[in-house]
Amino acid sequence: MTLDLVIFIISALTAIFGALMMIFQRNPVASVMYMILSLVSQAVLYMQLGALFIGAVLIIVYAGAILVLFLFVIMMLNLRQTEDMDSDSTPISKLAKFLVSGLLFLEMLFVVRGSYFQSSVETGLLSPQIDDFGSVESVAELLFTTYLYPFELTSILLLTAIVGAVVIARKPSNEDPVEILPFDSDDDEFKSAKAAE
Amino acid sequence: MIDISTAVIDFGLIAPEISLVAAAFIILIIGYTKRLGKFCALTALLGIFVSFYYTLIQYGNPGSGFSGMVTSDDFGVVFRMIFLVTALLTILIAQNYLSLKRLNKPEFYALICFSTMGMMVMANSTDLVVMFLGLEIMSVPLYVMAGFARRNLASNESGIKYFIMGAFASAFLLMGIAFIFGASGTTDLKRIIADLSYLSEFSHFYFYSGIAMILIGFGFKVGVVPFHSWVPDVYQGAPTPITAFFSVGPKAAGFAVLLRVFSFGFAEVEILEPTFWVLAVVTMTVGNVLALRQNNIKRMLAYSSIAHAGYILIALTAGGIEGVSSAVFYLIAYALFNFGAFTVIIMMESRSGGTTEFSELKGLLKVHPYLTSILALFMFALAGFPPTVGFIGKFYIFSAALKNGFIWLTLIGVMNSFISVYYYLRVIKVSCFEDSDSEFAPMSMTPALMFVLFITILGTLGLGIFPDQILEFSKTALFAFL
Amino acid sequence: MFEVFFPILFLFVLAVVIALIMSGLSVFIGKRTKLGKKDEPYECGVEPVGNTKEPVPVKFYMVAILFILFDIEVIFLFPWAVISDRLGMFGFIEMVVFVVILLVGYFYILKRGALEWD
């Protein structure tokens, strides 16, 4: 057994353990902690596959930043220990849960089958295979030469997201005369129109 | 050293986008320093005009740059002009309304600029990644603008609904692009098209899943029927000038990409034709039938915009040069008369205690006979009566469908037009033949609103009576593209 | 692959071991008393009232969102840093444009007072 295999088994098991614990936790904050564990072990898996950049993104953005946001959302909404999470689920929503997870499972089966047992599903037909595909260098080289324009567009997308977040979440500043009068004259009308349908 | 000579940096190609972004930057940085009055609106208008100038220069000079990420052709130029005119009209009709509702913030103008820039990026590229980024740059400001009236429950609901549905659609689209990339190894539409038959034969699972998901993603954005459920609530809840922007700009941008990807790109994929046939029929019928029962004009126009998306899908089904040019012509026409209708609604809503209910229109004829006839004109155009441009647009779409042998589709389309007459004429009936119980509050008519009315009337009637110019324009533009 | 990442693995293991030692020591060496009064937040202060989990104001969330957005910027800086010597001046200008666009957002946040606490 090589060391690579040992590391793979350890991190794969940790990822599954983290994911399971995340689901079975009663306390949402603890769930988030287990999710971080799962994401970090997944990052190790990606790195073993040679997708170093994705691994780094997973740790820096997902485990680092997005889960902080999750924590804030949980605390902001003041979710307590969710004992009766299932109490409001109707048969339809249960069916939907099974359908969606079943579809995901089928998709996984298909991918595994396609990559190991069946060679008819071909990928990347038009592009030559690069040896270090997925490494930080090769990603960077593409990103800063061929995909230069999308790269700069990304920063504009981030900028719009910044502006949007500030507009939605920030209280109006003092010199802003906006929003002293509530603009809700047609709220009732809106509700009645929806009730009519 | 890395070779960068392949990444042809040509700022002329993206000058229209750059000028809009520059205007947005100025608004964002300077907008909050002092009370600058109309400074933000004027900066945005200036940005739009500069952008229009650079777009016009590109007409007839197709080019490509940034490693094939930007492709400027006449098809893109036509669409970019539609977007810029939409943004211009939105800013003009929004001015008065926003100050009345105390929403006149600098961010509004910056967001309009960003959103328009995103649409232009979408229409101006043949690369799937750039299209996706353009779609997101267009959508993120739209989510925010839908919820712009933060103290209004309906606006909040509109924003959050649009955001969740839109994010879901974007995920589908991205997955579709990933599948196409997985099958082909490239995101360049031109290369994918060149080896289309090879791809669909050897990697059909990924290829067809990818196409289906891309179709779902854009179907959401333009409000095609199985994916339309967000449209009425979002349109009704958002502030009215923003609804006007929603119903024209993003729709045109979505169709620009659909036309590029499906009518030109994957036209050889056989399964697409019946798919579009079914989508067109369902979209038209559901939109028109549900519009019959509405008591709110904004909500009625939301369903009507679904129906109009259905008419444009007929053109997509027909395909070919007639199909594409009739779709482009219809989008131009729709932009004009839909904006006109929304301008009148804004005038109604801007009165004291004004709403967007049908009952608001009672007794309009006695107080404002001219405005009533203008409203009637736009309703006739929406329903597709001659001599308005609505008639010519529909005629052109149906004849394109007939030429390609879609007789049943044309019949269903014509029948749908008849259904739609009922609810459009209801607007005229209420405003002409029903009397108001209370006194009619005075209308607010600012020069900007009058100017927008003038432009849209001119377009609706002018293009309706002399359509040849624009028809030829859209045809030659598309021939250059093919 | 393994040789390249051995230092990182070593760092991970070291971090885990140190954390375990620190919390383990307190378990084994420290004295534990399980009394009713000991478990209260303030042993000899005000009586605790209500739930400790108060809703967090939205401004924390705002900071978190802005953090994510600038964090995504960092993710782009990372591959750039790896090949910046090969990209030369061209790559430098590219990154300057990218950062300047986001800097506009930063100035906007400052001007708008989005980071002010009250």
Side-chain angles (χ1 to χ4, degrees):
Chain A
M1 215 194 294
T2 60
L3 239 164
D4 264 348
L5 191 62
V6 172
I7 294 174
F8 168 76
I9 291 173
I10 291 174
S11 42
L13 285 179
T14 321
I16 295 172
F17 170 74
L20 285 177
M21 288 303 278
M22 184 190 98
I23 299 169
F24 291 122
Q25 277 300 313
R26 286 277 176 220
N27 186 346
V29 178
S31 276
V32 170
M33 294 301 164
Y34 279 111
M35 195 170 169
I36 294 177
L37 180 71
S38 180
L39 280 173
V40 171
S41 348
Q42 283 173 42
V44 175
L45 293 181
Y46 274 117
M47 288 182 177
Q48 280 203 310
L49 287 171
L52 293 177
F53 185 66
I54 306 238
V57 169
L58 217 60
I59 289 180
I60 297 177
V61 176
Y62 284 81
I66 289 186
L67 287 180
V68 172
L69 199 70
F70 271 34
L71 276 181
F72 274 126
V73 171
I74 287 167
M75 292 199 273
M76 192 174 77
L77 299 176
N78 198 14
L79 287 176
R80 304 246 163 73
Q81 315 228 330
T82 49
E83 284 106 28
D84 45 359
M85 198 83 136
D86 288 325
S87 65
D88 57 340
S89 68
T90 58
I92 296 174
S93 73
K94 268 182 189 154
L95 185 75
K97 279 178 209 165
F98 279 109
L99 260 176
V100 171
S101 37
L103 269 177
L104 276 176
F105 186 70
L106 278 180
E107 191 188 333
M108 260 163 60
L109 270 188
F110 188 89
V111 171
V112 170
R113 214 175 69 104
S115 54
Y116 282 106
F117 304 111
Q118 197 187 28
S119 54
S120 72
V121 179
E122 296 204 21
T123 54
L125 290 169
L126 303 182
S127 70
Q129 291 293 316
I130 309 166
D131 281 343
D132 58 345
F133 190 79
S135 75
V136 181
E137 284 89 350
S138 63
V139 168
E141 213 165 293
L142 276 175
L143 185 64
F144 296 108
T145 55
T146 314
Y147 289 89
L148 178 160
Y149 183 59
F151 164 69
E152 301 292 355
L153 282 179
T154 313
S155 80
I156 290 179
L157 179 57
L158 288 175
L159 177 62
T160 58
I162 291 174
V163 177
V166 173
V167 169
I168 293 287
R170 176 68 196 168
K171 276 185 192 156
S173 55
N174 289 338
E175 74 253 47
D176 221 8
V178 170
E179 290 177 88
I180 299 164
L181 286 180
F183 159 47
D184 52 8
S185 54
D186 46 13
D187 269 358
D188 297 330
E189 157 209 337
F190 184 71
K191 276 177 205 144
S192 63
K194 285 189 66 187
E197 278 190 13
Chain B
M1 253 352 212
I2 290 168
D3 182 26
I4 50 157
S5 56
T6 51
V8 187
I9 312 287
D10 183 357
F11 286 109
L13 279 174
I14 55 167
E17 281 90 347
I18 292 178
S19 32
L20 275 182
V21 169
F25 283 1
I26 293 169
I27 294 169
L28 282 181
I29 293 179
I30 305 184
Y32 264 99
T33 43
K34 286 174 221 144
R35 296 262 126 228
L36 289 167
K38 290 198 187 311
F39 167 78
C40 296
L42 289 177
T43 313
L45 288 180
L46 183 70
I48 288 170
F49 280 123
V50 174
S51 181
F52 201 88
Y53 169 73
Y54 281 118
T55 312
L56 264 181
I57 287 181
Q58 286 182 12
Y59 183 70
N61 300 313
S64 167
F66 295 93
S67 321
M69 295 289 145
V70 186
T71 308
S72 168
D73 47 26
D74 291 349
F75 179 80
V77 169
V78 172
F79 269 98
R80 289 200 276 175
M81 285 183 194
I82 300 179
F83 306 146
L84 286 170
V85 170
T86 310
L88 173 82
L89 296 180
T90 309
I91 288 175
L92 287 178
I93 60 174
Q95 273 281 296
N96 187 38
Y97 182 92
L98 290 178
S99 352
L100 274 175
K101 304 283 186 192
R102 297 175 177 268
L103 292 172
N104 204 350
K105 296 191 234 173
E107 287 97 340
F108 175 81
Y109 304 101
L111 288 172
I112 290 269
C113 287
F114 280 131
S115 189
T116 314
M117 182 258 181
M119 294 173 199
M120 290 164 73
V121 169
M122 276 168 86
N124 211 25
S125 176
T126 53
D127 192 276
L128 291 171
V129 169
V130 179
M131 280 179 187
F132 174 74
L133 278 168
L135 179 92
E136 286 303 298
I137 295 174
M138 170 190 91
S139 299
V140 172
L142 291 181
Y143 304 145
V144 179
M145 284 195 286
F148 209 72
R150 287 179 23 186
R151 296 294 172 89
N152 182 338
L153 249 172
S155 177
N156 278 338
E157 182 185 343
S158 163
I160 198 117
K161 258 192 188 153
Y162 194 29
F163 174 62
I164 289 177
M165 295 304 236
F168 202 60
S170 298
F172 267 97
L173 178 65
L174 200 55
M175 195 73 191
I177 292 174
F179 273 17
I180 297 268
F181 177 75
S184 65
T186 176
T187 54
D188 189 353
L189 210 54
K190 281 180 197 150
R191 282 185 61 198
I192 296 172
I193 292 166
D195 290 303
L196 195 66
S197 52
Y198 178 57
L199 279 178
S200 54
E201 186 178 346
F202 285 102
S203 196
H204 52 93
F205 172 74
Y206 289 122
F207 185 67
Y208 283 117
S209 322
I211 286 184
M213 285 182 172
I214 289 179
L215 188 59
I216 290 173
F218 283 110
F220 259 108
K221 291 288 165 195
V222 299
V224 170
V225 149
F227 323 111
H228 70 292
S229 52
W230 58 273
V231 174
D233 287 345
V234 172
Y235 277 36
Q236 190 185 359
T240 313
I242 294 165
T243 311
F245 187 62
F246 275 176
S247 62
V248 177
K251 200 158 269 215
F255 273 112
V257 174
L258 279 176
L259 287 170
R260 223 192 249 284
V261 175
F262 291 107
S263 285
F264 295 120
F266 300 152
E268 291 166 33
V269 183
E270 279 167 12
I271 196 164
L272 280 174
E273 197 180 276
T275 314
F276 277 125
W277 196 96
V278 174
L279 284 179
V281 169
V282 176
T283 306
M284 279 185 298
T285 316
V286 171
N288 278 322
V289 169
L290 287 179
L292 291 175
R293 296 193 48 206
Q294 302 308 320
N295 285 320
N296 184 299
I297 308 175
K298 255 161 106 182
R299 214 174 167 79
M300 185 272 277
L301 282 176
Y303 282 110
S304 117
S305 86
I306 296 175
H308 283 281
Y311 299 135
I312 300 169
L313 279 176
I314 295 182
L316 252 96
T317 319
I321 188 75
E322 294 98 4
V324 177
S325 60
S326 66
V328 173
F329 182 80
Y330 199 79
L331 278 167
I332 296 172
Y334 176 71
L336 285 169
F337 51 69
N338 206 42
F339 249 97
F342 270 106
T343 311
V344 180
I345 295 173
I346 284 172
M347 286 180 169
M348 308 285 311
E349 203 187 349
S350 304
R351 298 179 304 159
S352 59
T355 63
T356 53
E357 294 292 296
F358 265 96
S359 55
E360 190 75 16
L361 289 166
K362 282 181 185 171
L364 182 67
L365 181 67
K366 280 181 190 155
V367 193
H368 292 287
Y370 292 115
L371 196 64
T372 316
S373 48
I374 289 168
L375 182 63
L377 171 74
F378 291 133
M379 288 301 142
F380 280 132
L382 279 162
F385 281 102
T388 61
V389 71
F391 171 73
I392 303 288
K394 266 187 192 149
F395 175 76
Y396 201 38
I397 282 184
F398 291 147
S399 64
L402 276 180
K403 255 184 212 162
N404 289 283
F406 294 96
I407 297 165
W408 278 104
L409 188 62
T410 314
L411 277 179
I412 298 172
V414 172
M415 263 154 64
N416 264 292
S417 294
F418 281 127
I419 298 177
S420 73
V421 170
Y422 173 80
Y423 59 85
Y424 289 127
L425 289 195
R426 193 169 145 222
V427 173
I428 302 171
K429 189 196 106 190
V430 172
S431 52
C432 293
F433 304 116
E434 287 181 23
D435 278 331
S436 174
D437 320 320
S438 54
E439 197 160 317
F440 205 89
M443 288 281 201
S444 68
M445 292 189 204
T446 61
L449 285 174
M450 300 307 278
F451 178 71
V452 173
L453 273 188
F454 175 70
I455 296 271
T456 46
I457 294 169
L458 198 70
T460 310
L461 279 178
L463 288 184
I465 299 166
F466 311 104
D468 301 350
Q469 223 87 53
I470 289 283
L471 277 181
E472 282 310 307
F473 174 67
S474 60
K475 258 195 175 170
T476 49
L478 296 165
F479 267 124
F481 179 78
L482 284 174
Chain C
M1 184 62 49
F2 179 71
E3 294 74 32
V4 184
F5 287 102
F6 183 72
I8 294 180
L9 181 72
F10 185 72
L11 195 72
F12 257 76
V13 173
L14 200 68
V16 170
V17 166
I18 288 176
L20 281 180
I21 288 174
M22 283 164 103
S23 52
L25 274 181
S26 72
V27 169
F28 288 117
I29 298 175
K31 220 166 73 180
R32 306 191 96 188
T33 33
K34 280 246 169 188
L35 289 171
K37 286 280 175 196
K38 270 282 179 197
D39 290 343
E40 280 171 16
Y42 299 103
E43 202 178 357
C44 44
V46 188
E47 292 283 308
V49 176
N51 199 321
T52 45
K53 283 181 186 159
E54 284 293 307
V56 177
V58 74
K59 48 196 174 191
F60 286 94
Y61 185 66
M62 176 90 224
V63 174
I65 280 200
L66 294 178
F67 165 60
I68 285 195
L69 291 168
F70 287 106
D71 201 41
I72 296 172
E73 179 195 352
V74 170
I75 217 51
F76 283 103
L77 282 167
F78 161 56
W80 173 77
V82 173
I83 61 159
S84 63
D85 52 339
R86 286 198 290 149
L87 279 170
M89 201 57 196
F90 175 73
F92 179 72
I93 293 169
E94 243 180 297
M95 196 35 95
V96 165
V97 171
F98 184 84
V99 172
V100 162
I101 292 175
L102 277 165
L103 216 57
V104 171
Y106 180 69
F107 277 121
Y108 164 73
I109 292 170
L110 285 186
K111 279 271 161 59
R112 182 74 172 71
L115 293 177
E116 281 164 25
W117 223 245
D118 288 320

